[in-house]
Amino acid sequence: MENSIKVTIDGVETEVPQGTTILQAARQIGPEVAPPAMCYYKPLEKSGGKCRACLVKVTQGSEKDKRPMPKLVASCITPAQDGMIVENYTNEEVVDTRKGIVEFLLINHPLDCPVCDQAGECHLQDFSFKHGTETQRFEEDRRTFEKEDIGSNIQLHMNRCILCYRCVHTADQITDGRCHGVMNRGDHAEISTYIGQAIDNDFSGNMIDVCPVGALTDKTYRFKNRVWFTKPMDAHRDCDKCCGEVHLWYKGEEIIRVTGRKNQWGEVDEFICNTCRFDKKETADWTIEGPAVMTRHSVTSANKYRKDLIAKPSFAVDYAKHHYKNINDDRPYDKNLKEVKASEDYKALMEQNKDFNLLEE
């Protein structure tokens, strides 16, 4: 590969183009190495560097300069260098720091999961489940806000917002005019619309898809069902505004929600228009391709979803291939209990555990 560099992350080496960030390089290896990301969103330029969830330890800066970086760095905005060695899940400092990041993000976040429409698809749920702690040290009152309609089909729950700025970048880059942003500073910062304006453009619904938590919700879908009780289908239609490729979420025969198609990182590769999202809720409006393939870990696949539609990550096989020897075990095996009892292994085991009566006559 021309103009490529080699990067090692958690002991696995990969080759990536010059200019690739550490996070992108880690994603190329696989989900077991890739750091979590709450604010980074690949299709959105200038996203990242705000939540600090993707901090990693660079133990070797490059082949030319082998010195380690003195502090943890945000992998989503740090370019990889040739010969760089990065530690993510294998570094104790990174793991401990990530627990603190979870605790920080949950300072003001309410325990709304039982009533939140984002439950089951929430990145903060996944992040806190994998890296969080059972207790929290925060004793002060949480910030509270009233629910706010910021468009005809979008409701803002500022209580849940983690200020990732994804919705702001989305409005900046794929709509014809942003009329919302972050107001105030410090612990008073909040997402809000400008005075006297509401979000109303053909692609505003994509802010719902990019939100990693339940801060921006689809008013046409609110409280209709839990995601793990729905059936996602791939579908498309001829649309003069967008690609027209979506997930249709069925409750029985009814389409209760339409979303963009997300990849294994939970990111929408192709944004869809509001017409497809909010106005086309009849099966006749769409060409059905078949059941959606779950390329990302999801509770949807736990609801008796077809196993052949669950994409299994190849990382585990590749990791075993590089780190473990192939075993050719030609030892004979015993087929019945009588043969097992006659074996030396069984006799040694029973002698070692004779006080426990593992297998009484």
Side-chain angles (χ1 to χ4, degrees), residues 296-332:
R296 178 174 180 264
H297 176 71
S298 170
V299 294
T300 307
S301 60
N303 188 36
K304 300 180 180 179
Y305 199 60
R306 281 172 47 183
K307 292 182 178 180
D308 60 315
L309 297 175
I310 304 173
K312 298 180 179 179
S314 60
F315 174 82
V317 177
D318 294 337
Y319 187 87
K321 188 185 300 182
H322 287 89
H323 290 79
Y324 299 98
K325 295 180 180 179
N326 290 326
I327 298 176
N328 182 16
D329 194 349
D330 295 326
R331 294 180 299 176

PDB file of all heavy atoms in Angstrom, residues 296-332:
ATOM      1  N   ARG A 296     -23.956  -4.895  14.408  1.00  0.00           N
ATOM      2  CA  ARG A 296     -23.473  -4.366  15.684  1.00  0.00           C
ATOM      3  C   ARG A 296     -24.172  -5.103  16.807  1.00  0.00           C
ATOM      4  O   ARG A 296     -25.330  -5.490  16.685  1.00  0.00           O
ATOM      5  CB  ARG A 296     -23.768  -2.859  15.772  1.00  0.00           C
ATOM      6  CG  ARG A 296     -23.340  -2.207  17.081  1.00  0.00           C
ATOM      7  CD  ARG A 296     -23.550  -0.700  16.996  1.00  0.00           C
ATOM      8  NE  ARG A 296     -23.152  -0.046  18.228  1.00  0.00           N
ATOM      9  CZ  ARG A 296     -23.988   0.269  19.212  1.00  0.00           C
ATOM     10  NH1 ARG A 296     -25.273  -0.012  19.084  1.00  0.00           N
ATOM     11  NH2 ARG A 296     -23.564   0.859  20.304  1.00  0.00           N
ATOM     12  N   HIS A 297     -23.455  -5.294  17.917  1.00  0.00           N
ATOM     13  CA  HIS A 297     -24.077  -5.958  19.065  1.00  0.00           C
ATOM     14  C   HIS A 297     -25.361  -5.220  19.437  1.00  0.00           C
ATOM     15  O   HIS A 297     -25.362  -4.012  19.635  1.00  0.00           O
ATOM     16  CB  HIS A 297     -23.109  -5.953  20.246  1.00  0.00           C
ATOM     17  CG  HIS A 297     -23.696  -6.515  21.491  1.00  0.00           C
ATOM     18  ND1 HIS A 297     -23.956  -7.863  21.642  1.00  0.00           N
ATOM     19  CD2 HIS A 297     -24.098  -5.927  22.634  1.00  0.00           C
ATOM     20  CE1 HIS A 297     -24.483  -8.074  22.825  1.00  0.00           C
ATOM     21  NE2 HIS A 297     -24.575  -6.917  23.455  1.00  0.00           N
ATOM     22  N   SER A 298     -26.455  -5.952  19.516  1.00  0.00           N
ATOM     23  CA  SER A 298     -27.743  -5.306  19.739  1.00  0.00           C
ATOM     24  C   SER A 298     -28.684  -6.246  20.463  1.00  0.00           C
ATOM     25  O   SER A 298     -28.648  -7.468  20.263  1.00  0.00           O
ATOM     26  CB  SER A 298     -28.367  -4.895  18.395  1.00  0.00           C
ATOM     27  OG  SER A 298     -29.701  -4.486  18.556  1.00  0.00           O
ATOM     28  N   VAL A 299     -29.528  -5.684  21.322  1.00  0.00           N
ATOM     29  CA  VAL A 299     -30.537  -6.496  21.987  1.00  0.00           C
ATOM     30  C   VAL A 299     -31.578  -6.990  20.999  1.00  0.00           C
ATOM     31  O   VAL A 299     -32.324  -7.923  21.298  1.00  0.00           O
ATOM     32  CB  VAL A 299     -31.242  -5.710  23.118  1.00  0.00           C
ATOM     33  CG1 VAL A 299     -30.285  -5.388  24.235  1.00  0.00           C
ATOM     34  CG2 VAL A 299     -31.887  -4.440  22.577  1.00  0.00           C
ATOM     35  N   THR A 300     -31.640  -6.385  19.819  1.00  0.00           N
ATOM     36  CA  THR A 300     -32.580  -6.852  18.805  1.00  0.00           C
ATOM     37  C   THR A 300     -32.295  -8.302  18.445  1.00  0.00           C
ATOM     38  O   THR A 300     -33.213  -9.106  18.231  1.00  0.00           O
ATOM     39  CB  THR A 300     -32.474  -5.977  17.545  1.00  0.00           C
ATOM     40  OG1 THR A 300     -32.609  -4.611  17.908  1.00  0.00           O
ATOM     41  CG2 THR A 300     -33.553  -6.344  16.548  1.00  0.00           C
ATOM     42  N   SER A 301     -31.019  -8.665  18.398  1.00  0.00           N
ATOM     43  CA  SER A 301     -30.643 -10.026  18.035  1.00  0.00           C
ATOM     44  C   SER A 301     -30.927 -11.015  19.147  1.00  0.00           C
ATOM     45  O   SER A 301     -30.873 -12.218  18.942  1.00  0.00           O
ATOM     46  CB  SER A 301     -29.155 -10.072  17.666  1.00  0.00           C
ATOM     47  OG  SER A 301     -28.361  -9.650  18.756  1.00  0.00           O
ATOM     48  N   ALA A 302     -31.230 -10.535  20.366  1.00  0.00           N
ATOM     49  CA  ALA A 302     -31.528 -11.421  21.487  1.00  0.00           C
ATOM     50  C   ALA A 302     -32.997 -11.807  21.534  1.00  0.00           C
ATOM     51  O   ALA A 302     -33.379 -12.704  22.276  1.00  0.00           O
ATOM     52  CB  ALA A 302     -31.137 -10.754  22.804  1.00  0.00           C
ATOM     53  N   ASN A 303     -33.831 -11.158  20.748  1.00  0.00           N
ATOM     54  CA  ASN A 303     -35.267 -11.419  20.778  1.00  0.00           C
ATOM     55  C   ASN A 303     -35.650 -12.470  19.735  1.00  0.00           C
ATOM     56  O   ASN A 303     -36.451 -12.232  18.842  1.00  0.00           O
ATOM     57  CB  ASN A 303     -36.047 -10.118  20.532  1.00  0.00           C
ATOM     58  CG  ASN A 303     -37.537 -10.315  20.741  1.00  0.00           C
ATOM     59  OD1 ASN A 303     -37.947 -11.059  21.610  1.00  0.00           O
ATOM     60  ND2 ASN A 303     -38.342  -9.661  19.928  1.00  0.00           N
ATOM     61  N   LYS A 304     -35.018 -13.634  19.835  1.00  0.00           N
ATOM     62  CA  LYS A 304     -35.285 -14.736  18.921  1.00  0.00           C
ATOM     63  C   LYS A 304     -35.097 -14.314  17.471  1.00  0.00           C
ATOM     64  O   LYS A 304     -35.807 -14.769  16.570  1.00  0.00           O
ATOM     65  CB  LYS A 304     -36.699 -15.296  19.145  1.00  0.00           C
ATOM     66  CG  LYS A 304     -36.918 -15.830  20.554  1.00  0.00           C
ATOM     67  CD  LYS A 304     -38.316 -16.373  20.727  1.00  0.00           C
ATOM     68  CE  LYS A 304     -38.520 -16.900  22.140  1.00  0.00           C
ATOM     69  NZ  LYS A 304     -39.874 -17.419  22.365  1.00  0.00           N
ATOM     70  N   TYR A 305     -34.125 -13.440  17.253  1.00  0.00           N
ATOM     71  CA  TYR A 305     -33.828 -12.988  15.896  1.00  0.00           C
ATOM     72  C   TYR A 305     -33.073 -14.098  15.180  1.00  0.00           C
ATOM     73  O   TYR A 305     -32.306 -14.842  15.798  1.00  0.00           O
ATOM     74  CB  TYR A 305     -33.002 -11.701  15.975  1.00  0.00           C
ATOM     75  CG  TYR A 305     -33.004 -10.882  14.713  1.00  0.00           C
ATOM     76  CD1 TYR A 305     -34.187 -10.387  14.193  1.00  0.00           C
ATOM     77  CD2 TYR A 305     -31.821 -10.602  14.044  1.00  0.00           C
ATOM     78  CE1 TYR A 305     -34.197  -9.623  13.052  1.00  0.00           C
ATOM     79  CE2 TYR A 305     -31.817  -9.842  12.903  1.00  0.00           C
ATOM     80  CZ  TYR A 305     -33.004  -9.352  12.402  1.00  0.00           C
ATOM     81  OH  TYR A 305     -33.005  -8.599  11.263  1.00  0.00           O
ATOM     82  N   ARG A 306     -33.239 -14.224  13.899  1.00  0.00           N
ATOM     83  CA  ARG A 306     -32.605 -15.300  13.146  1.00  0.00           C
ATOM     84  C   ARG A 306     -31.089 -15.254  13.302  1.00  0.00           C
ATOM     85  O   ARG A 306     -30.439 -14.248  13.052  1.00  0.00           O
ATOM     86  CB  ARG A 306     -32.984 -15.196  11.673  1.00  0.00           C
ATOM     87  CG  ARG A 306     -34.347 -15.723  11.365  1.00  0.00           C
ATOM     88  CD  ARG A 306     -34.765 -15.435   9.944  1.00  0.00           C
ATOM     89  NE  ARG A 306     -33.720 -15.766   8.979  1.00  0.00           N
ATOM     90  CZ  ARG A 306     -33.857 -15.543   7.671  1.00  0.00           C
ATOM     91  NH1 ARG A 306     -34.962 -14.991   7.209  1.00  0.00           N
ATOM     92  NH2 ARG A 306     -32.888 -15.846   6.841  1.00  0.00           N
ATOM     93  N   LYS A 307     -30.500 -16.394  13.711  1.00  0.00           N
ATOM     94  CA  LYS A 307     -29.069 -16.428  13.990  1.00  0.00           C
ATOM     95  C   LYS A 307     -28.231 -16.169  12.742  1.00  0.00           C
ATOM     96  O   LYS A 307     -27.122 -15.642  12.831  1.00  0.00           O
ATOM     97  CB  LYS A 307     -28.688 -17.775  14.609  1.00  0.00           C
ATOM     98  CG  LYS A 307     -29.264 -17.988  16.005  1.00  0.00           C
ATOM     99  CD  LYS A 307     -28.801 -19.310  16.580  1.00  0.00           C
ATOM    100  CE  LYS A 307     -29.334 -19.504  17.986  1.00  0.00           C
ATOM    101  NZ  LYS A 307     -28.911 -20.781  18.585  1.00  0.00           N
ATOM    102  N   ASP A 308     -28.749 -16.553  11.577  1.00  0.00           N
ATOM    103  CA  ASP A 308     -27.956 -16.354  10.360  1.00  0.00           C
ATOM    104  C   ASP A 308     -27.904 -14.888   9.942  1.00  0.00           C
ATOM    105  O   ASP A 308     -27.159 -14.533   9.023  1.00  0.00           O
ATOM    106  CB  ASP A 308     -28.534 -17.191   9.209  1.00  0.00           C
ATOM    107  CG  ASP A 308     -29.982 -16.817   8.902  1.00  0.00           C
ATOM    108  OD1 ASP A 308     -30.764 -16.670   9.868  1.00  0.00           O
ATOM    109  OD2 ASP A 308     -30.317 -16.664   7.710  1.00  0.00           O
ATOM    110  N   LEU A 309     -28.670 -14.033  10.619  1.00  0.00           N
ATOM    111  CA  LEU A 309     -28.646 -12.608  10.296  1.00  0.00           C
ATOM    112  C   LEU A 309     -27.794 -11.811  11.278  1.00  0.00           C
ATOM    113  O   LEU A 309     -27.713 -10.600  11.195  1.00  0.00           O
ATOM    114  CB  LEU A 309     -30.069 -12.047  10.286  1.00  0.00           C
ATOM    115  CG  LEU A 309     -30.993 -12.649   9.228  1.00  0.00           C
ATOM    116  CD1 LEU A 309     -32.397 -12.121   9.395  1.00  0.00           C
ATOM    117  CD2 LEU A 309     -30.471 -12.328   7.832  1.00  0.00           C
ATOM    118  N   ILE A 310     -27.174 -12.493  12.237  1.00  0.00           N
ATOM    119  CA  ILE A 310     -26.299 -11.827  13.190  1.00  0.00           C
ATOM    120  C   ILE A 310     -24.875 -11.934  12.680  1.00  0.00           C
ATOM    121  O   ILE A 310     -24.319 -13.032  12.585  1.00  0.00           O
ATOM    122  CB  ILE A 310     -26.414 -12.459  14.586  1.00  0.00           C
ATOM    123  CG1 ILE A 310     -27.883 -12.449  15.053  1.00  0.00           C
ATOM    124  CG2 ILE A 310     -25.537 -11.728  15.587  1.00  0.00           C
ATOM    125  CD1 ILE A 310     -28.108 -13.203  16.337  1.00  0.00           C
ATOM    126  N   ALA A 311     -24.288 -10.820  12.316  1.00  0.00           N
ATOM    127  CA  ALA A 311     -22.931 -10.823  11.789  1.00  0.00           C
ATOM    128  C   ALA A 311     -21.943 -11.104  12.911  1.00  0.00           C
ATOM    129  O   ALA A 311     -21.881 -10.374  13.889  1.00  0.00           O
ATOM    130  CB  ALA A 311     -22.614  -9.485  11.128  1.00  0.00           C
ATOM    131  N   LYS A 312     -21.204 -12.181  12.787  1.00  0.00           N
ATOM    132  CA  LYS A 312     -20.234 -12.544  13.815  1.00  0.00           C
ATOM    133  C   LYS A 312     -18.907 -11.842  13.534  1.00  0.00           C
ATOM    134  O   LYS A 312     -18.393 -11.919  12.413  1.00  0.00           O
ATOM    135  CB  LYS A 312     -20.040 -14.059  13.841  1.00  0.00           C
ATOM    136  CG  LYS A 312     -21.313 -14.829  14.182  1.00  0.00           C
ATOM    137  CD  LYS A 312     -21.065 -16.316  14.187  1.00  0.00           C
ATOM    138  CE  LYS A 312     -22.338 -17.060  14.547  1.00  0.00           C
ATOM    139  NZ  LYS A 312     -22.147 -18.525  14.536  1.00  0.00           N
ATOM    140  N   PRO A 313     -18.330 -11.159  14.514  1.00  0.00           N
ATOM    141  CA  PRO A 313     -17.066 -10.461  14.293  1.00  0.00           C
ATOM    142  C   PRO A 313     -15.939 -11.449  14.019  1.00  0.00           C
ATOM    143  O   PRO A 313     -15.849 -12.509  14.638  1.00  0.00           O
ATOM    144  CB  PRO A 313     -16.845  -9.710  15.615  1.00  0.00           C
ATOM    145  CG  PRO A 313     -17.643 -10.454  16.628  1.00  0.00           C
ATOM    146  CD  PRO A 313     -18.828 -11.007  15.894  1.00  0.00           C
ATOM    147  N   SER A 314     -15.066 -11.103  13.079  1.00  0.00           N
ATOM    148  CA  SER A 314     -13.954 -11.972  12.714  1.00  0.00           C
ATOM    149  C   SER A 314     -12.734 -11.750  13.591  1.00  0.00           C
ATOM    150  O   SER A 314     -11.735 -12.449  13.459  1.00  0.00           O
ATOM    151  CB  SER A 314     -13.576 -11.728  11.250  1.00  0.00           C
ATOM    152  OG  SER A 314     -13.189 -10.374  11.061  1.00  0.00           O
ATOM    153  N   PHE A 315     -12.820 -10.758  14.502  1.00  0.00           N
ATOM    154  CA  PHE A 315     -11.643 -10.408  15.289  1.00  0.00           C
ATOM    155  C   PHE A 315     -11.156 -11.578  16.123  1.00  0.00           C
ATOM    156  O   PHE A 315      -9.951 -11.841  16.211  1.00  0.00           O
ATOM    157  CB  PHE A 315     -11.950  -9.224  16.209  1.00  0.00           C
ATOM    158  CG  PHE A 315     -10.823  -8.899  17.160  1.00  0.00           C
ATOM    159  CD1 PHE A 315      -9.764  -8.138  16.741  1.00  0.00           C
ATOM    160  CD2 PHE A 315     -10.822  -9.390  18.457  1.00  0.00           C
ATOM    161  CE1 PHE A 315      -8.718  -7.853  17.597  1.00  0.00           C
ATOM    162  CE2 PHE A 315      -9.790  -9.107  19.316  1.00  0.00           C
ATOM    163  CZ  PHE A 315      -8.729  -8.334  18.887  1.00  0.00           C
ATOM    164  N   ALA A 316     -12.077 -12.301  16.762  1.00  0.00           N
ATOM    165  CA  ALA A 316     -11.679 -13.387  17.662  1.00  0.00           C
ATOM    166  C   ALA A 316     -10.885 -14.447  16.915  1.00  0.00           C
ATOM    167  O   ALA A 316      -9.874 -14.957  17.412  1.00  0.00           O
ATOM    168  CB  ALA A 316     -12.914 -13.995  18.316  1.00  0.00           C
ATOM    169  N   VAL A 317     -11.319 -14.797  15.703  1.00  0.00           N
ATOM    170  CA  VAL A 317     -10.608 -15.797  14.909  1.00  0.00           C
ATOM    171  C   VAL A 317      -9.232 -15.287  14.516  1.00  0.00           C
ATOM    172  O   VAL A 317      -8.223 -16.000  14.613  1.00  0.00           O
ATOM    173  CB  VAL A 317     -11.428 -16.167  13.659  1.00  0.00           C
ATOM    174  CG1 VAL A 317     -10.659 -17.152  12.791  1.00  0.00           C
ATOM    175  CG2 VAL A 317     -12.776 -16.754  14.061  1.00  0.00           C
ATOM    176  N   ASP A 318      -9.165 -14.023  14.069  1.00  0.00           N
ATOM    177  CA  ASP A 318      -7.877 -13.447  13.678  1.00  0.00           C
ATOM    178  C   ASP A 318      -6.937 -13.339  14.870  1.00  0.00           C
ATOM    179  O   ASP A 318      -5.733 -13.580  14.762  1.00  0.00           O
ATOM    180  CB  ASP A 318      -8.092 -12.059  13.061  1.00  0.00           C
ATOM    181  CG  ASP A 318      -8.842 -12.123  11.750  1.00  0.00           C
ATOM    182  OD1 ASP A 318      -8.810 -13.195  11.116  1.00  0.00           O
ATOM    183  OD2 ASP A 318      -9.448 -11.114  11.353  1.00  0.00           O
ATOM    184  N   TYR A 319      -7.480 -12.966  16.034  1.00  0.00           N
ATOM    185  CA  TYR A 319      -6.655 -12.831  17.234  1.00  0.00           C
ATOM    186  C   TYR A 319      -6.080 -14.185  17.635  1.00  0.00           C
ATOM    187  O   TYR A 319      -4.893 -14.302  17.954  1.00  0.00           O
ATOM    188  CB  TYR A 319      -7.493 -12.258  18.379  1.00  0.00           C
ATOM    189  CG  TYR A 319      -6.687 -11.931  19.622  1.00  0.00           C
ATOM    190  CD1 TYR A 319      -6.061 -10.699  19.757  1.00  0.00           C
ATOM    191  CD2 TYR A 319      -6.546 -12.857  20.653  1.00  0.00           C
ATOM    192  CE1 TYR A 319      -5.319 -10.392  20.890  1.00  0.00           C
ATOM    193  CE2 TYR A 319      -5.805 -12.570  21.785  1.00  0.00           C
ATOM    194  CZ  TYR A 319      -5.198 -11.329  21.892  1.00  0.00           C
ATOM    195  OH  TYR A 319      -4.453 -11.033  23.017  1.00  0.00           O
ATOM    196  N   ALA A 320      -6.920 -15.221  17.611  1.00  0.00           N
ATOM    197  CA  ALA A 320      -6.445 -16.554  17.965  1.00  0.00           C
ATOM    198  C   ALA A 320      -5.387 -17.045  16.984  1.00  0.00           C
ATOM    199  O   ALA A 320      -4.421 -17.714  17.369  1.00  0.00           O
ATOM    200  CB  ALA A 320      -7.630 -17.522  18.010  1.00  0.00           C
ATOM    201  N   LYS A 321      -5.557 -16.695  15.712  1.00  0.00           N
ATOM    202  CA  LYS A 321      -4.610 -17.121  14.697  1.00  0.00           C
ATOM    203  C   LYS A 321      -3.225 -16.539  14.940  1.00  0.00           C
ATOM    204  O   LYS A 321      -2.198 -17.184  14.697  1.00  0.00           O
ATOM    205  CB  LYS A 321      -5.124 -16.698  13.316  1.00  0.00           C
ATOM    206  CG  LYS A 321      -4.315 -17.251  12.150  1.00  0.00           C
ATOM    207  CD  LYS A 321      -4.834 -16.683  10.838  1.00  0.00           C
ATOM    208  CE  LYS A 321      -6.292 -17.039  10.619  1.00  0.00           C
ATOM    209  NZ  LYS A 321      -6.780 -16.533   9.320  1.00  0.00           N
ATOM    210  N   HIS A 322      -3.162 -15.308  15.458  1.00  0.00           N
ATOM    211  CA  HIS A 322      -1.891 -14.625  15.664  1.00  0.00           C
ATOM    212  C   HIS A 322      -1.280 -14.893  17.036  1.00  0.00           C
ATOM    213  O   HIS A 322      -0.080 -14.713  17.233  1.00  0.00           O
ATOM    214  CB  HIS A 322      -2.064 -13.114  15.481  1.00  0.00           C
ATOM    215  CG  HIS A 322      -2.255 -12.705  14.060  1.00  0.00           C
ATOM    216  ND1 HIS A 322      -3.507 -12.645  13.483  1.00  0.00           N
ATOM    217  CD2 HIS A 322      -1.383 -12.340  13.091  1.00  0.00           C
ATOM    218  CE1 HIS A 322      -3.396 -12.249  12.230  1.00  0.00           C
ATOM    219  NE2 HIS A 322      -2.115 -12.061  11.961  1.00  0.00           N
ATOM    220  N   HIS A 323      -2.075 -15.305  18.018  1.00  0.00           N
ATOM    221  CA  HIS A 323      -1.588 -15.388  19.391  1.00  0.00           C
ATOM    222  C   HIS A 323      -1.583 -16.803  19.980  1.00  0.00           C
ATOM    223  O   HIS A 323      -1.027 -17.007  21.054  1.00  0.00           O
ATOM    224  CB  HIS A 323      -2.422 -14.485  20.309  1.00  0.00           C
ATOM    225  CG  HIS A 323      -2.207 -13.025  20.081  1.00  0.00           C
ATOM    226  ND1 HIS A 323      -2.788 -12.344  19.042  1.00  0.00           N
ATOM    227  CD2 HIS A 323      -1.442 -12.115  20.746  1.00  0.00           C
ATOM    228  CE1 HIS A 323      -2.407 -11.080  19.071  1.00  0.00           C
ATOM    229  NE2 HIS A 323      -1.602 -10.916  20.096  1.00  0.00           N
ATOM    230  N   TYR A 324      -2.193 -17.760  19.307  1.00  0.00           N
ATOM    231  CA  TYR A 324      -2.243 -19.099  19.852  1.00  0.00           C
ATOM    232  C   TYR A 324      -1.765 -20.117  18.820  1.00  0.00           C
ATOM    233  O   TYR A 324      -1.915 -19.924  17.606  1.00  0.00           O
ATOM    234  CB  TYR A 324      -3.668 -19.462  20.298  1.00  0.00           C
ATOM    235  CG  TYR A 324      -4.211 -18.568  21.384  1.00  0.00           C
ATOM    236  CD1 TYR A 324      -5.056 -17.497  21.087  1.00  0.00           C
ATOM    237  CD2 TYR A 324      -3.865 -18.764  22.706  1.00  0.00           C
ATOM    238  CE1 TYR A 324      -5.530 -16.663  22.079  1.00  0.00           C
ATOM    239  CE2 TYR A 324      -4.342 -17.936  23.716  1.00  0.00           C
ATOM    240  CZ  TYR A 324      -5.171 -16.898  23.389  1.00  0.00           C
ATOM    241  OH  TYR A 324      -5.648 -16.067  24.374  1.00  0.00           O
ATOM    242  N   LYS A 325      -1.160 -21.184  19.324  1.00  0.00           N
ATOM    243  CA  LYS A 325      -0.672 -22.238  18.454  1.00  0.00           C
ATOM    244  C   LYS A 325      -1.824 -23.156  18.056  1.00  0.00           C
ATOM    245  O   LYS A 325      -2.753 -23.376  18.812  1.00  0.00           O
ATOM    246  CB  LYS A 325       0.402 -23.055  19.171  1.00  0.00           C
ATOM    247  CG  LYS A 325       1.670 -22.289  19.506  1.00  0.00           C
ATOM    248  CD  LYS A 325       2.658 -23.190  20.216  1.00  0.00           C
ATOM    249  CE  LYS A 325       3.940 -22.420  20.560  1.00  0.00           C
ATOM    250  NZ  LYS A 325       4.915 -23.280  21.282  1.00  0.00           N
ATOM    251  N   ASN A 326      -1.715 -23.714  16.856  1.00  0.00           N
ATOM    252  CA  ASN A 326      -2.692 -24.716  16.446  1.00  0.00           C
ATOM    253  C   ASN A 326      -2.449 -26.008  17.227  1.00  0.00           C
ATOM    254  O   ASN A 326      -1.307 -26.455  17.365  1.00  0.00           O
ATOM    255  CB  ASN A 326      -2.568 -24.990  14.943  1.00  0.00           C
ATOM    256  CG  ASN A 326      -3.032 -23.826  14.118  1.00  0.00           C
ATOM    257  OD1 ASN A 326      -3.968 -23.126  14.509  1.00  0.00           O
ATOM    258  ND2 ASN A 326      -2.405 -23.597  12.966  1.00  0.00           N
ATOM    259  N   ILE A 327      -3.505 -26.593  17.745  1.00  0.00           N
ATOM    260  CA  ILE A 327      -3.392 -27.797  18.560  1.00  0.00           C
ATOM    261  C   ILE A 327      -3.951 -28.985  17.780  1.00  0.00           C
ATOM    262  O   ILE A 327      -5.093 -28.967  17.336  1.00  0.00           O
ATOM    263  CB  ILE A 327      -4.150 -27.647  19.891  1.00  0.00           C
ATOM    264  CG1 ILE A 327      -3.547 -26.501  20.713  1.00  0.00           C
ATOM    265  CG2 ILE A 327      -4.109 -28.944  20.681  1.00  0.00           C
ATOM    266  CD1 ILE A 327      -4.290 -26.220  21.990  1.00  0.00           C
ATOM    267  N   ASN A 328      -3.117 -30.003  17.620  1.00  0.00           N
ATOM    268  CA  ASN A 328      -3.555 -31.243  16.990  1.00  0.00           C
ATOM    269  C   ASN A 328      -3.688 -32.287  18.087  1.00  0.00           C
ATOM    270  O   ASN A 328      -2.734 -32.982  18.431  1.00  0.00           O
ATOM    271  CB  ASN A 328      -2.554 -31.674  15.920  1.00  0.00           C
ATOM    272  CG  ASN A 328      -3.004 -32.934  15.196  1.00  0.00           C
ATOM    273  OD1 ASN A 328      -4.172 -33.318  15.274  1.00  0.00           O
ATOM    274  ND2 ASN A 328      -2.076 -33.575  14.505  1.00  0.00           N
ATOM    275  N   ASP A 329      -4.841 -32.396  18.683  1.00  0.00           N
ATOM    276  CA  ASP A 329      -5.055 -33.268  19.832  1.00  0.00           C
ATOM    277  C   ASP A 329      -5.558 -34.629  19.356  1.00  0.00           C
ATOM    278  O   ASP A 329      -6.738 -34.808  19.051  1.00  0.00           O
ATOM    279  CB  ASP A 329      -6.062 -32.626  20.779  1.00  0.00           C
ATOM    280  CG  ASP A 329      -6.068 -33.308  22.133  1.00  0.00           C
ATOM    281  OD1 ASP A 329      -5.449 -34.374  22.247  1.00  0.00           O
ATOM    282  OD2 ASP A 329      -6.687 -32.760  23.070  1.00  0.00           O
ATOM    283  N   ASP A 330      -4.627 -35.595  19.293  1.00  0.00           N
ATOM    284  CA  ASP A 330      -4.988 -36.941  18.841  1.00  0.00           C
ATOM    285  C   ASP A 330      -5.192 -37.913  19.999  1.00  0.00           C
ATOM    286  O   ASP A 330      -5.255 -39.121  19.796  1.00  0.00           O
ATOM    287  CB  ASP A 330      -3.882 -37.491  17.923  1.00  0.00           C
ATOM    288  CG  ASP A 330      -3.759 -36.677  16.645  1.00  0.00           C
ATOM    289  OD1 ASP A 330      -4.803 -36.189  16.175  1.00  0.00           O
ATOM    290  OD2 ASP A 330      -2.630 -36.519  16.134  1.00  0.00           O
ATOM    291  N   ARG A 331      -5.267 -37.373  21.222  1.00  0.00           N
ATOM    292  CA  ARG A 331      -5.445 -38.258  22.370  1.00  0.00           C
ATOM    293  C   ARG A 331      -6.797 -38.972  22.294  1.00  0.00           C
ATOM    294  O   ARG A 331      -7.799 -38.378  21.913  1.00  0.00           O
ATOM    295  CB  ARG A 331      -5.364 -37.458  23.672  1.00  0.00           C
ATOM    296  CG  ARG A 331      -3.992 -36.861  23.949  1.00  0.00           C
ATOM    297  CD  ARG A 331      -4.013 -36.087  25.249  1.00  0.00           C
ATOM    298  NE  ARG A 331      -4.964 -34.990  25.181  1.00  0.00           N
ATOM    299  CZ  ARG A 331      -5.255 -34.185  26.208  1.00  0.00           C
ATOM    300  NH1 ARG A 331      -4.662 -34.383  27.377  1.00  0.00           N
ATOM    301  NH2 ARG A 331      -6.123 -33.209  26.065  1.00  0.00           N
ATOM    302  N   PRO A 332      -6.813 -40.243  22.684  1.00  0.00           N
ATOM    303  CA  PRO A 332      -8.106 -40.959  22.700  1.00  0.00           C
ATOM    304  C   PRO A 332      -9.000 -40.408  23.798  1.00  0.00           C
ATOM    305  O   PRO A 332      -8.526 -39.902  24.810  1.00  0.00           O
ATOM    306  CB  PRO A 332      -7.693 -42.411  22.987  1.00  0.00           C
ATOM    307  CG  PRO A 332      -6.393 -42.289  23.720  1.00  0.00           C
ATOM    308  CD  PRO A 332      -5.689 -41.103  23.113  1.00  0.00           C
TER     309      PRO A 332
END
